[in-house]
Amino acid sequence: MNGHVNEGKRHLNFSDFTAAPMWRQYKQLDEITDQVKKDEMPLSSYTLIHKDARPTDAQKMGIENWAESTRKEIAGHYPADSLVRPKR
């Protein structure tokens, strides 16, 4: 289980979220919404043991609304080209 937690933190860690480039924060907020809508988080292997970790529909809607409103706020403050990953 610890491996799942560490892997998750490599993909999204709110402790260092704001240190990431704005395009990455913007993308991660979209990924949060997508995973919540698809019921991909928390992992089913986790909720087998921790049944109370399953978010309610109201909690999922709250997460989706928060992520989407934060993306809109970011989009209103930053140029569009800063919200996409730079080409290498």
Side-chain angles (χ1 to χ4, degrees):
M1 192 58 56
N2 196 34
H4 285 287
V5 171
N6 290 333
E7 178 69 16
K9 284 182 179 181
R10 277 194 293 277
H11 291 283
L12 176 64
N13 186 343
F14 283 109
S15 295
D16 58 11
F17 182 79
T18 58
M22 190 52 61
W23 66 265
R24 183 174 307 235
Q25 293 177 46
Y26 192 73
K27 182 176 182 350
Q28 286 180 322
L29 289 164
D30 189 47
E31 290 172 354
I32 289 168
T33 301
D34 188 50
Q35 288 191 352
V36 169
K37 284 181 179 178
K38 292 179 179 177
D39 288 323
E40 292 178 350
M41 292 303 290
L43 296 174
S44 57
S45 59
Y46 185 81
T47 57
L48 282 173
I49 299 167
H50 305 281
K51 302 233 185 269
D52 60 331
R54 290 186 187 123
T56 65
D57 288 342
Q59 289 169 324
K60 288 192 269 186
M61 185 60 66
I63 293 167
E64 291 173 32
N65 289 340
W66 165 78
E68 289 173 14
S69 67
T70 302
R71 278 176 54 88
K72 285 179 184 177
E73 186 175 335
I74 289 170
H77 288 34
Y78 291 87
D81 63 345
S82 71
L83 301 179
V84 294
R85 183 179 186 157
K87 297 191 190 261
R88 295 181 180 188

